[in-house]
Amino acid sequence: TSYRYRRAYLQARLSDNPSLSYEQAMAAMAGISDPELRDAIANGNWDLTAGQFFSGFRRNLHVVEPLWSHPPDDWFIWRALDWGHSAPAACLWLARNPAVAFPRTYAYREWMQPGLSDYEQAKTVLKLSVGDPFCRLNLVDPSIVRDRKGLAGVTHGREWVRAGLKPLVPANNNRPLGWSRIHKALAHQNELYPVPTELQIFDTCTNLIDQLANTQRDETHYEDIHQPRNPDAKLRDEMIETLRYGLMGAAVVSKKTQYRKSRSSYRIG
């Protein structure tokens, strides 16, 4: 007879131990200067690490089991993409219910892969999107529609459009504002912030979850992330880059007038 073993994570907090005085234990930990380490020990939250950039990320608040394989037809759907070749190209699929007062943003699908041509990247994204409702727009790194490549002088964005991936809209690439937008989407509901936590991530988006949990602050620029310098680095940043593009463009997706303006003013190189 063969047995299959499973492991389950049970979150343990100091307050769960009846033989400990919670107040005394917390007072004893007051000497720990790192707030993330204090929270990890007190609440069993080991997603927190010293120097973590997205310290508001909590698996129990932000990660959910998939609610559907394809979003409902009446939801707003958009994609955010980051070009790559030696480093992976990446795409994040986002959805929002327009019928609620405080709509949550659902990251429901992700894709990362290196070594593909521009045409292959676009076709892969379109293939993975089969069955989804209409995608309102694709938010992309502005450089792929601006910087020309090769003797023909064609942009990466032009190749994506030729493959059928459109409309492309240059994302807001202001990094400090983009990271701030992610922090806002991760904010926890409390007395001072009464709206529900905005960002919900399907647990199938493992790369995005890993990058939110483990990305570190830059030691020189405190309001920016520490970026991997090696294309073979174990911890990548492509998925949090796409999340930054996607959240910064969420207002454009939700307002048809801004969407039309962005679409009409866009020119592909």
Side-chain angles (χ1 to χ4, degrees):
T1 304
S2 61
Y3 295 92
R4 183 173 296 176
Y5 294 94
R6 290 187 176 183
R7 294 180 180 178
Y9 168 66
L10 300 177
Q11 187 176 20
R13 304 176 177 86
L14 283 176
S15 56
D16 296 332
N17 191 335
S19 63
L20 279 180
S21 166
Y22 181 74
E23 291 75 15
Q24 290 180 354
M26 291 301 295
M29 288 197 299
I32 301 176
S33 60
D34 192 311
E36 284 82 10
L37 183 57
R38 283 202 309 270
D39 190 27
I41 295 174
N43 299 310
N45 183 11
W46 296 104
D47 284 326
L48 292 174
T49 58
Q52 181 181 8
F53 190 74
F54 300 107
S55 57
F57 175 70
R58 302 287 189 279
R59 289 178 191 265
N60 63 322
L61 291 177
H62 300 113
V63 180
V64 297
E65 293 183 356
L67 304 178
W68 17 253
S69 56
H70 302 286
D73 291 337
D74 57 345
W75 283 36
F76 291 161
I77 307 300
W78 72 106
R79 294 183 289 247
L81 301 102
D82 193 28
W83 180 87
H85 184 74
S86 296
C91 181
L92 185 65
W93 284 256
L94 299 160
R96 176 178 284 186
N97 182 359
V100 299
F102 297 102
R104 285 180 155 172
T105 299
Y106 290 85
Y108 67 94
R109 186 184 299 131
E110 66 171 27
W111 167 76
M112 281 178 59
Q113 188 174 348
L116 297 183
S117 68
D118 298 345
Y119 186 86
E120 290 171 326
Q121 292 172 23
K123 284 299 185 182
T124 300
V125 169
L126 292 172
K127 182 178 180 179
L128 292 171
S129 301
V130 171
D132 284 356
F134 170 70
C135 179
R136 298 172 71 86
L137 78 165
N138 301 279
L139 291 158
V140 299
D141 182 343
S143 67
I144 77 158
V145 297
R146 181 187 65 233
D147 299 341
R148 299 177 184 275
K149 64 185 181 72
L151 296 176
V154 178
T155 64
H156 298 293
R158 170 67 72 179
E159 296 290 348
W160 281 2
V161 170
R162 285 176 177 172
L165 186 61
K166 55 186 178 181
L168 301 185
V169 175
N172 185 328
N173 203 24
N174 184 306
R175 294 177 67 84
L177 284 180
W179 302 138
S180 177
R181 180 65 182 86
I182 294 180
H183 289 311
K184 179 182 177 183
L186 294 172
H188 312 161
Q189 186 174 12
N190 54 45
E191 305 81 31
L192 299 177
Y193 192 78
V195 300
T197 301
E198 177 187 352
L199 183 62
Q200 300 287 274
I201 307 167
F202 283 14
D203 61 15
T204 50
C205 298
T206 55
N207 290 295
L208 176 60
I209 293 167
D210 184 48
Q211 292 176 24
L212 284 171
N214 295 297
T215 296
Q216 299 289 296
R217 293 185 182 276
D218 188 90
E219 294 179 359
T220 305
H221 303 94
Y222 196 67
E223 295 301 325
D224 204 353
I225 64 168
H226 174 74
Q227 295 178 275
R229 307 301 179 188
N230 185 342
D232 298 324
K234 184 177 180 180
L235 180 63
R236 306 298 313 168
D237 64 356
E238 284 82 7
M239 294 316 307
I240 54 175
E241 293 281 5
T242 60
L243 179 62
R244 175 166 66 88
Y245 299 154
L247 291 177
M248 288 292 281
V252 178
V253 177
S254 301
K255 297 180 181 179
K256 293 183 179 180
T257 54
Q258 291 185 14
Y259 166 65
R260 292 196 189 103
K261 181 178 179 181
S262 299
R263 196 176 171 188
S264 63
S265 62
Y266 172 54
R267 298 292 182 268
I268 305 167

